[in-house]
């Protein structure tokens, strides 16, 4: 009879002990693998999305909120800033790229972002079909938006004011038309509807447009008045241009000196604030890191308790089966083989518990991914085991092995004759 089969029969003969040991192992492994994957993938997602930009300039407020809203698009903006106020910043010699972005409307919960085409280039976004926007109220749809809403090239839609999917005022007088669908980038671009800045401004300037339309109705038969009106209109347009606002300015530095000098200058000498995405994300992950360490600590304690459970279970089993072990010795099994039998039982229990916990951990990642994808646009990948999880498997097997060896010490002291005579 094979030792592995004997080990299996011994293990399932005590279902309550088996269930308790497996449950403790499952809880420990699922917690550790879940936390490892979530923190690793979250950190990777955040770093991938902030990579194109070194600094964000926006309205005064929380710098973390500014980064979350303007770069990661998971929060509300701190406010707007005047377009003419950022002009001098855009021309600074330390700045390589300065991309203005403006938003405030949505379509079925997906943000409509007004920006330059260069924004797409920084995320290496490419068209899957159609073409890029060229004039106002033309948009390109991110891959996730297109899939979730069934958007196709040529479709029209009406935006709603605000960033929530319901409750906002609909801008029915300015429908958007989809000119292109983007390939998946694995970044925030996938969940955006992207257009030019003029679209965002014009959709909120319909009151002024109506006023201009009324003025245009008096043009015929009033040549002199028309000239005066034209001059006033030019002045009005210039004033309106100066009053234009954006949500933030996304900046890539040409020189590392920019990161040292510009943020402090902006924060101390302007009505705006500068935030560094890399620093803010590190700070955010630092806050999350304490929670991750706490959960991992709890999981390791559960793992140690699981090892103690294996020790107690095997110790009890060996003491209860002293006569069976003595008979096995008579039938030719050596002490080393009896020890191997106990080790197989402990290791088999550890392997089954680890695999069950790993599977439950991945189920947790899948469930969380569905929620984060729908709520924030950040999905998690259900991947195979990584290096850290293999190390944790080694730790689990090591604890199980140690518990089994401690519980099996009595095998070396087994007196076959005395044990059988006492039976």
């Amino acid at each position: 009879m094979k030792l592995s089969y004997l080990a299996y029969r011994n293990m399932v003969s005590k279902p309550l002990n088996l269930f308790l040991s497996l449950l403790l192992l499952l809880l420990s492994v699922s917690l550790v693998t879940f936390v490892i994957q979530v923190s690793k993938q979250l950190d990777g997602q955040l770093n991938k999305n902030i990579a194109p930009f070194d600094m964000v300039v926006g309205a005064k407020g929380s710098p973390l909120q500014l980064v979350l809203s303007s770069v990661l698009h998971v929060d509300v903006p701190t406010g707007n800033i005047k377009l003419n106020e950022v002009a001098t910043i855009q021309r600074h010699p330390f700045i390589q790229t300065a991309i203005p972005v403006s938003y405030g409307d949505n379509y079925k919960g997906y943000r409509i972002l007004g920006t330059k085409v260069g924004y797409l280039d920084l995320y290496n976004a490419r068209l899957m079909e159609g073409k890029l926007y060229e004039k106002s109220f033309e948009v390109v749809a991110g891959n996730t938006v297109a899939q979730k809403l069934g958007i196709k090239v040529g479709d029209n839609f009406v935006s709603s004011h605000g960033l929530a999917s319901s409750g906002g005022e609909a801008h029915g007088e300015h429908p958007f038309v989809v000119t292109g669908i983007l390939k998946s980038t694995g970044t925030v671009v996938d969940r955006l509807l992207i257009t030019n800045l003029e679209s965002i401004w014009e959709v909120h300037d319909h009151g002024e447009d109506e006023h201009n339309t009324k003025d245009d109705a008096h043009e015929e038969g009033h040549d002199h008045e028309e000239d005066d009106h034209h001059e006033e209109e030019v002045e009005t347009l210039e004033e309106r241009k100066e009053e234009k606002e954006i949500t933030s300015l996304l900046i890539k530095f040409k020189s590392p000196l920019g990161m040292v000098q510009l943020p402090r200058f902006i924060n101390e000498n302007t009505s705006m604030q500068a935030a560094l995405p890399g620093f803010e994300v590190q700070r955010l992950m630092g806050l999350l890191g304490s929670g991750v360490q706490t959960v991992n600590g709890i999981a390791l304690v559960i793992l140690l308790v699981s090892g103690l459970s294996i020790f107690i279970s095997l110790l009890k089993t060996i003491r209860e089966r002293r006569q069976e072990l003595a008979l096995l010795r008579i039938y030719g099994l050596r002490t080393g083989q009896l020890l191997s039998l106990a080790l197989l039982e402990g290791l088999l229990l550890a392997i089954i518990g680890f695999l069950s916990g790993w599977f439950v951990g991945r189920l947790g990642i899948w469930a969380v991914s569905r929620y984060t994808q729908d709520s924030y646009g950040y999905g998690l990948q259900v991947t195979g085991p990584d290096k850290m999880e293999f190390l944790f498997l080694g730790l689990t097997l090591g604890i199980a092995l140690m518990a089994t060896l401690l519980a099996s010490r009595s095998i070396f002291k087994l007196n076959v004759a005395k044990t059988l005579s006492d039976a």
Side-chain angles (χ1 to χ4, degrees):
M1 186 177 292
K2 293 184 178 180
L3 290 178
S4 57
Y5 178 74
L6 282 175
Y8 167 74
R9 295 301 303 173
N10 288 340
M11 188 174 66
V12 298
S13 65
K14 298 287 184 179
L16 186 60
N17 291 341
L18 175 64
F19 174 76
L20 178 61
S21 298
L22 285 178
L23 179 62
L24 290 171
L25 275 170
L26 185 148
L27 286 174
S28 174
V29 173
S30 60
L31 275 175
V32 171
T33 55
F34 175 81
V35 170
I36 286 175
Q37 286 298 315
V38 169
S39 65
K40 176 183 176 181
Q41 293 193 39
L42 180 60
D43 187 49
Q45 284 272 10
L46 293 176
N47 287 325
K48 184 177 182 179
N49 280 296
I50 67 171
F53 307 110
D54 298 321
M55 184 175 74
V56 186
V57 177
K60 294 285 189 184
S62 165
L64 178 58
Q65 181 183 351
L66 178 59
V67 172
L68 290 176
S69 61
S70 295
V71 182
L72 302 175
H73 301 284
V74 293
D75 204 346
V76 295
T78 55
N80 289 332
I81 54 178
K82 297 291 184 182
L83 184 62
N84 59 354
E85 288 184 18
V86 300
T88 54
I89 298 175
Q90 290 176 289
R91 294 191 295 267
H92 198 282
F94 287 160
I95 291 178
Q96 176 179 324
T97 307
I99 304 291
V101 295
S102 188
Y103 55 90
D105 289 348
N106 78 92
Y107 175 58
K108 294 186 177 181
Y110 292 97
R111 296 190 182 193
I112 300 173
L113 183 73
T115 186
K116 295 181 178 180
V117 174
Y119 179 87
L120 298 174
D121 295 333
L122 291 174
Y123 281 106
N124 198 30
R126 297 291 179 263
L127 284 168
M128 184 171 66
E129 57 180 294
K131 63 177 183 177
L132 294 176
Y133 55 86
E134 296 176 350
K135 54 186 179 181
S136 295
F137 303 106
E138 292 183 343
V139 301
V140 291
N143 194 267
T144 300
V145 183
Q147 289 186 16
K148 293 287 185 179
L149 302 183
I151 289 177
K152 302 182 294 295
V153 173
D155 286 353
N156 292 280
F157 65 86
V158 175
S159 65
S160 298
H161 186 64
L163 302 177
S165 58
S166 60
E169 174 193 358
H171 299 296
E173 67 283 353
H174 288 302
F176 287 85
V177 59
V178 179
T179 62
I181 306 294
L182 297 171
K183 294 180 181 178
S184 178
T185 63
T187 67
V188 291
V189 174
D190 294 344
R191 289 183 59 86
L192 295 174
L193 292 159
I194 303 172
T195 183
N196 59 17
L197 288 167
E198 289 75 16
S199 299
I200 305 300
W201 294 332
E202 290 176 31
V203 80
H204 296 105
D205 287 347
H206 52 274
E208 295 180 26
D209 293 340
E210 291 174 2
H211 175 72
N212 292 337
T213 302
K214 291 178 182 178
D215 289 342
D216 292 341
H218 296 85
E219 286 183 0
E220 291 186 9
H222 300 280
D223 294 338
H224 181 69
E225 292 180 8
E226 181 181 347
D227 292 338
D228 292 340
H229 175 71
H230 179 71
E231 291 177 1
E232 292 176 3
E233 188 180 61
V234 170
E235 293 177 0
T236 302
L237 288 172
E238 290 177 353
E239 291 174 359
R240 286 174 60 191
K241 187 175 180 180
E242 291 180 358
E243 293 174 358
K244 292 300 182 187
E245 294 181 336
I246 59 173
T247 305
S248 57
L249 188 68
L250 308 177
I251 292 172
K252 185 75 174 177
F253 289 122
K254 186 184 301 181
S255 166
L257 290 175
M259 192 173 294
V260 177
Q261 298 181 7
L262 276 181
R264 177 178 294 182
F265 172 81
I266 292 170
N267 290 330
E268 293 179 355
N269 299 284
T270 72
S271 60
M272 302 173 289
Q273 74 163 332
L276 303 177
F279 175 78
E280 296 301 328
V281 165
Q282 284 182 2
R283 189 161 67 91
L284 177 61
M285 292 305 296
L287 295 173
L288 295 176
S290 58
V292 169
Q293 291 175 0
T294 301
V295 173
N296 281 338
I298 294 172
L300 289 175
V301 170
I302 296 174
L303 180 61
L304 292 176
V305 173
S306 174
L308 180 62
S309 173
I310 294 173
F311 166 75
I312 294 173
S313 176
L314 287 175
L315 183 63
K316 184 179 179 182
T317 299
I318 290 172
R319 287 180 176 178
E320 290 176 349
R321 294 178 177 169
R322 292 176 64 85
Q323 289 82 11
E324 294 179 21
L325 295 175
L327 286 172
L328 289 173
R329 284 289 306 277
I330 290 176
Y331 285 127
L333 290 183
R334 298 184 298 275
T335 300
Q337 290 177 302
L338 294 181
L339 180 62
S340 298
L341 179 64
L343 290 175
L344 278 173
E345 186 175 342
L347 291 176
L348 186 60
L349 182 63
I351 291 171
I352 293 174
F354 186 91
L355 292 177
S356 301
W358 185 88
F359 182 72
V360 171
R362 286 305 193 271
L363 280 180
I365 292 172
W366 174 79
V368 169
S369 179
R370 287 177 64 92
Y371 170 76
T372 56
Q373 184 70 42
D374 292 338
S375 301
Y376 304 105
Y378 291 91
L380 301 175
Q381 300 294 322
V382 179
T383 61
D386 61 15
K387 182 180 179 181
M388 287 295 296
E389 290 172 331
F390 278 117
L391 290 175
F392 188 61
L393 172 60
L395 177 62
T396 303
L397 295 177
I399 290 176
L401 182 63
M402 185 173 295
T404 304
L405 287 173
L406 290 174
S408 304
R409 288 181 300 171
S410 60
I411 292 177
F412 295 100
K413 303 175 183 178
L414 183 65
N415 188 320
V416 176
K418 186 175 183 305
T419 301
L420 292 177
S421 65
D422 293 341

